[in-house]
Amino acid sequence: MTRERLYLFDTTLRDGQQTQGVQFSTPEKIQIAQALDALGIDHIEGGWPGANPTDSAFFDEAPKTRATMTAFGMTKRNGISAENDDVLAAVMNANTPAVCLVGKTHDFHVETALGITLAENIENITRSFAHVTAQGREAIFDAEHFFDGYKSNPAYALEAIKAAYDAGARWIALCDTNGGTLPADVGRIVGDVIAAGIPGDHLGIHTHNDTENAVACSLAAVDAGARQIQGTLNGLGERCGNANLTALIPILLLKEPYASRFVTGVDRDALLLLTRVSRMLDEILNRVPQKQAAFVGSSAFAHKAGLHASAILKDPTTYEHVDPATVGNARIIPMSNQAGQSNLRRRLAEAGLDVATKDPALVRILERIKDREAQGYSYDTAQASFELLARDELMQMPDFFEVKRYRVTVERRKNKRDQMVSLSEAVVVVKVDGEKKLSVSESMDATGCDRGPVNALAKALAKDLGIYTEIINDMHLVDFKVRITQGGTEAVTRVIIDSEDGQGRRWSTVGVSANIIDASFEALLDAIRWKLIRDVKK
């Protein structure tokens, strides 16, 4: 059976940049574009040249890609020819092989938002796409508000997209701009469009996630005959986001009937990059990856219940719909006070700890976990701290260094500009290889900003660990979470630190204390010790 080609259009760099709080720099856009190209995306929409300096600079410096680089803009303005519209000219001057223009297809928006007649809008669409195609560019029409427009005035919505198609547009992307259309209606309307004369292999789908149905609506459009899907990495986008390509791509490659019916530019080898690319984007945005994200989330293949873990040991398919390795992710058996010995043995094995089934240490480890979680610790999300606890109980914890004492001071003072600022200073004394070492560091960074007492502690501790200093040089904190586990004057603070190193490894550690600095320091020590266990040559 010959599989049909399905095309993937990424708009992370344009529509994704409309996410509240998201603003890419030009180097970041280049990095993301290269990652998308490595995945096998067919079209990369780089932004709107002329709309802002960053987008214009990106097209000046855009990397060479196998994917078709696409500039975004809008159809020509009323009363101006396509050749003389300076906004459209800026898009064309980006010299991309493809151009995507957005235009109105909902009569309400034409008359209310644009303030022009329905006929004038059709003329603007026709002239714009005739201009684009005359210059040999691949033309794509983002039919804005198409589904709402079709429900309001189907004849006009169809007339608008036919105008673009007849003028040479290669793709007509039907946009659910407000994100309120449900999958059944998307499927029905796409079918109507095909029946009206626009072939499915010229139709795309562009959905928003305002009802949590963007992925389902995209699939409904494909089921009805559309052959291009527009979306973003991690579902970035205005309001609730766009269709999430990090969910759609593995569905298309791994799930039936799509895996048998279609082929995309993303192959099974490239699919192994998916989790890494997803987390790279979050790292660029300086935000915590969504743990529950389908396929790529750190909890997507986490099995906490003892019953589940026991079954996973026998056959992973009992509780996993796909092999996590196929999308570059990994299985996790979290440890908590709900854990049984099945969880424990599996987690110990993953940490490289070989423990016999009847080893009495298993019971001691479980009891210690339950006791410490009663104190406020959480090993559910702090896998590295769990491993260190288990190693300690199994007498397999190396003695890398000993912290003899530490001190942190916080000073509030005026700077030379007569502004009140805070400055933290940390002193750490450690004993490494029989030698005491004292290190001092402050929290001020190179730009003169105060990074706080935990930052000062981390810098002081890492400054001189003797023979281990070079090993931890590529290690850095990527997230810091604080939770108060008890209220009132007897409050206990739990700190969870996520760390990452130059090899791309990410691990979590936990510390608990009535003092937030002490809890942070405990989690920091665990993070360093876990790293040393992995990298110190035996």
Side-chain angles (χ1 to χ4, degrees):
M1 175 182 175
T2 302
R3 293 187 294 169
E4 288 185 75
R5 184 68 158 88
L6 195 60
Y7 295 86
L8 299 174
F9 182 109
D10 181 273
T11 181
T12 302
L13 302 180
R14 199 273 305 173
D15 221 347
Q17 191 167 245
Q18 295 179 181
T19 307
Q20 186 176 13
V22 169
Q23 184 63 51
F24 297 120
S25 67
T26 299
E28 288 169 344
K29 295 187 80 161
I30 291 171
Q31 182 183 357
I32 295 167
Q34 290 170 332
L36 290 168
D37 194 43
L39 274 178
I41 297 296
D42 297 295
H43 288 79
I44 298 173
E45 190 173 60
W48 189 332
N52 60 74
T54 300
D55 282 8
S56 297
F58 170 76
F59 287 105
D60 289 340
E61 304 174 29
K64 299 295 183 183
T65 58
R66 292 176 298 172
T68 302
M69 191 60 67
T70 306
F72 177 87
M74 65 181 184
T75 53
K76 80 172 190 68
R77 291 167 293 174
N78 206 46
I80 305 174
S81 69
E83 292 76 10
N84 292 317
D85 189 317
D86 57 341
V87 176
L88 182 55
V91 178
M92 299 301 292
N93 290 341
N95 294 317
T96 54
V99 171
C100 179
L101 299 181
V102 63
K104 304 292 187 185
T105 59
H106 187 180
D107 57 357
F108 168 74
H109 281 269
V110 173
E111 296 174 328
T112 303
L114 294 181
I116 62 177
T117 68
L118 300 184
E120 286 172 330
N121 183 56
I122 297 296
E123 178 72 6
N124 292 341
I125 291 171
T126 300
R127 297 302 179 191
S128 297
F129 283 96
H131 177 61
V132 172
T133 55
Q135 295 193 30
R137 312 289 181 85
E138 180 183 6
I140 301 155
F141 181 38
D142 266 7
E144 190 179 34
H145 295 288
F146 177 79
F147 291 95
D148 293 333
Y150 187 87
K151 294 171 190 175
S152 168
N153 186 338
Y156 184 75
L158 288 171
E159 183 184 1
I161 60 174
K162 283 182 177 179
Y165 180 68
D166 291 343
R170 167 65 181 89
W171 290 104
I172 307 296
L174 307 179
C175 301
D176 184 29
T177 309
N178 287 355
T181 309
L182 298 180
D185 280 341
V186 167
R188 174 181 60 82
I189 293 172
V190 170
D192 290 350
V193 170
I194 294 172
I198 297 184
D201 60 2
H202 285 258
L203 276 181
I205 182 69
H206 178 115
T207 61
H208 285 255
N209 204 35
D210 297 73
T211 65
E212 288 285 354
N213 277 284
V215 168
C217 286
S218 298
L219 294 173
V222 171
D223 292 340
R227 292 298 176 260
Q228 184 196 71
I229 298 176
Q230 296 193 5
T232 61
L233 288 176
N234 293 349
L236 286 185
E238 196 167 24
R239 302 186 312 277
C240 304
N242 289 37
N244 189 348
L245 289 180
T246 51
L248 277 163
I249 289 171
I251 289 173
L252 296 172
L253 267 70
L254 302 175
K255 294 293 183 179
E256 296 298 346
Y258 308 104
S260 296
R261 287 185 59 193
F262 302 108
V263 61
T264 71
V266 183
D267 60 25
R268 293 293 289 268
D269 288 338
L271 190 61
L272 299 173
L273 303 173
L274 191 66
T275 298
R276 187 189 307 170
V277 170
S278 169
R279 294 177 185 175
M280 176 207 74
L281 179 61
D282 284 323
E283 182 71 17
I284 288 172
L285 296 174
N286 194 27
R287 69 180 194 177
V288 181
Q290 184 183 352
K291 290 182 180 293
Q292 277 74 37
F295 296 100
V296 297
S298 60
S299 296
F301 302 97
H303 307 280
K304 182 174 179 179
L307 178 64
H308 293 194
S310 177
I312 285 287
L313 285 169
K314 298 169 184 174
D315 188 335
T317 62
T318 53
Y319 286 96
E320 290 177 351
H321 66 108
V322 299
D323 181 352
T326 59
V327 292
N329 209 341
R331 181 178 303 118
I332 294 177
I333 308 295
M335 292 310 305
S336 74
N337 59 16
Q338 298 183 35
Q341 289 203 10
S342 295
N343 294 50
L344 181 58
R345 291 197 309 273
R346 179 57 179 262
R347 184 64 186 91
L348 292 172
E350 289 177 349
L353 299 172
D354 186 16
V355 183
T357 305
K358 302 295 184 180
D359 193 321
L362 293 173
V363 175
R364 295 199 305 271
I365 293 169
L366 284 174
E367 288 302 316
R368 191 167 167 186
I369 288 170
K370 292 175 182 179
D371 178 63
R372 287 173 71 83
E373 290 204 341
Q375 299 173 35
Y377 287 84
S378 174
Y379 294 102
D380 187 8
T381 54
Q383 298 295 307
S385 285
F386 155 73
E387 181 186 329
L388 298 183
L389 179 151
R391 285 182 177 276
D392 185 56
E393 201 64 48
L394 293 165
M395 307 297 288
Q396 296 184 32
M397 184 63 205
D399 185 18
F400 296 113
F401 62 90
E402 178 187 2
V403 176
K404 304 300 290 186
R405 63 182 176 89
Y406 78 86
R407 182 179 72 247
V408 181
T409 59
V410 180
E411 181 182 3
R412 185 81 168 156
R413 69 187 183 196
K414 284 191 174 183
N415 63 13
K416 60 185 178 182
R417 291 185 292 273
D418 202 35
Q419 299 169 322
M420 291 300 296
V421 296
S422 295
L423 178 66
S424 300
E425 184 180 78
V427 178
V428 178
V429 178
V430 297
K431 188 174 182 180
V432 185
D433 201 22
E435 181 182 355
K436 281 188 179 180
K437 298 178 179 293
L438 183 148
S439 297
V440 181
S441 187
E442 61 179 28
S443 57
M444 199 74 72
D445 66 12
T447 66
C449 295
D450 175 45
R451 296 301 180 185
V454 176
N455 174 268
L457 265 176
K459 287 161 61 177
L461 185 60
K463 184 174 286 186
D464 190 357
L465 275 181
I467 59 176
Y468 307 120
T469 304
E470 187 175 341
I471 295 173
I472 65 170
N473 278 344
D474 68 337
M475 173 183 162
H476 63 280
L477 266 63
V478 293
D479 193 29
F480 178 85
K481 296 181 284 290
V482 178
R483 181 176 178 182
I484 305 301
T485 62
Q486 298 176 20
T489 58
E490 297 181 355
V492 173
T493 303
R494 177 197 301 147
V495 170
I496 293 181
I497 288 177
D498 291 347
S499 303
E500 192 173 63
D501 64 12
Q503 301 175 57
R505 296 181 301 204
R506 186 183 289 251
W507 63 100
S508 300
T509 51
V510 62
V512 170
S513 174
N515 185 308
I516 188 173
I517 303 300
D518 197 44
S520 303
F521 194 60
E522 182 184 8
L524 180 63
L525 288 174
D526 272 7
I528 291 174
R529 286 172 173 143
W530 187 91
K531 164 79 170 170
L532 293 177
I533 286 172
R534 291 299 183 278
D535 291 353
V536 171
K537 294 180 180 179
K538 302 294 191 292

